[in-house]
Amino acid sequence: PAEVSAASAPSAAPSCSGVGSALQRHDLAQLWHCLTQSRRAPDAAALTPGAVYECTVVLPIVGRQTFRLHIHGRGMARITLLGRLALDEPTPYRLVPQPSGQLRVDLDFNEPARDLLARWRTRIRAVWYNSADDYATIVIAPPLVPAISLRLSRLGAS
């Protein structure tokens, strides 16, 4: 997996507030940074292709259940459920920045995924990604109990 260097971290990046003065000074480094950052999608560095996030829990009625989110590439992931709820389906996604700094992950589940969740009267209420600490959160709403928030840690992260 690609590592983010200190030079590419937001706190170390040059400010884009003085673009006009950067043009006058011909500061190409700052101009290049401003142009690439403004055109860059919010999810460009957020979810690394190949990253896998996982959590295993014991849920009421269902028992031991593993939730896995595998990022295949920009805009495509695979959601895997191991246990009584068994699912292994690709799903398109998009990241939506939130004022809190987290990213909401909008998943577009296919018919088999929707059918499985409906059979168990369970919903995946929300999926979040925390880029600062590199983990995902899935909020599930099973029947008869309040929603459950699960933190999926990145596998193989140092």
Side-chain angles (χ1 to χ4, degrees):
E3 292 188 23
V4 178
S5 68
S8 64
S11 60
S15 167
C16 293
S17 60
V19 171
S21 61
L23 286 173
Q24 293 169 0
R25 290 192 318 262
H26 302 288
D27 185 352
L28 295 178
Q30 183 175 3
L31 177 61
W32 177 253
H33 169 77
C34 293
L35 290 173
T36 57
Q37 291 303 318
S38 64
R39 290 181 16 192
R40 193 170 145 188
D43 62 339
L47 288 170
T48 305
V52 178
Y53 301 87
E54 186 175 286
C55 174
T56 300
V57 294
V58 177
L59 297 173
I61 302 169
V62 175
R64 184 179 174 89
Q65 188 69 47
T66 297
F67 296 83
R68 183 179 299 146
L69 181 65
H70 181 184
I71 307 305
H72 285 287
R74 186 182 196 111
M76 186 57 74
R78 177 171 293 276
I79 185 97
T80 304
L81 305 179
L82 302 169
R84 287 189 69 191
L85 277 81
L87 180 70
D88 189 20
E89 296 290 333
T91 180
Y93 75 89
R94 71 183 182 97
L95 296 176
V96 181
Q98 301 297 297
S100 66
Q102 283 194 326
L103 296 169
R104 187 181 75 224
V105 182
D106 288 345
L107 299 171
D108 185 16
F109 292 113
N110 60 18
E111 198 64 32
R114 289 191 297 267
D115 288 347
L116 173 76
L117 293 171
R119 258 194 322 274
W120 283 88
R121 296 183 355 205
T122 298
R123 291 183 305 129
I124 294 180
R125 185 178 284 175
V127 180
W128 299 92
Y129 175 67
N130 182 310
S131 59
D133 296 317
D134 194 20
Y135 69 87
T137 302
I138 293 182
V139 181
I140 60 168
L144 307 175
V145 295
I148 302 168
S149 182
L150 305 170
R151 180 177 171 149
L152 283 67
S153 299
R154 183 166 177 176
L155 298 181
S158 53

